[in-house]
Amino acid sequence: MSTPAGRHTRTCPCGSGAAFARCCGPYVGDGLPAPTAEALMRSRYTAYALGVDDHIFRTWHPRTRPADTAPDPSLRWDSLEVLEVSGGGEEDAEGFVTYRARWSTPAPDHQRGELRERSQFVRRANRWVYLGPDPQF
């Protein structure tokens, strides 16, 4: 199977432990809609990890989407941990996913950090989209 950016053929970067082709691959590579807010969040993390801007762009609500959604090529996304999910099921209109994503930069800097966010997702045209960080988090 050809994968986005041709770089990932084994375990999905989202941390689920599943194969990419059976996890985020259909959403990131094929553009299929994610069934839940958590699945969309995981696929967006995977798109950042693989550098697939198209998926990030099309899954960001147009009202809050910045002009440039391209992932920072100097960051390597190392791990994702989903901490809490509220709503966001197949029948819901809104959902929140709290996560921690760890990143690093290559030599010579060797910086490490993490992003922790409670992301808000909404349904738009019957597809989950990322609205933005929960301002109350």
Side-chain angles (χ1 to χ4, degrees), residues 57-119:
F57 181 87
R58 76 172 175 262
T59 60
W60 205 317
H61 197 292
R63 182 170 41 116
T64 58
R65 181 175 56 220
D68 182 10
T69 60
D72 182 343
S74 69
L75 291 181
R76 184 180 83 195
W77 292 97
D78 299 319
S79 67
L80 173 69
E81 182 182 0
V82 174
L83 304 171
E84 182 181 6
V85 177
S86 175
E90 294 185 30
E91 303 299 320
D92 294 325
E94 179 182 57
F96 294 88
V97 179
T98 304
Y99 68 90
R100 177 180 20 237
R102 291 188 172 88
W103 57 266
S104 62
T105 60
D109 296 339
H110 294 296
Q111 295 180 11
R112 295 187 182 279
E114 70 177 39
L115 171 65
R116 185 179 168 131
E117 180 178 295
R118 183 174 192 243
S119 298

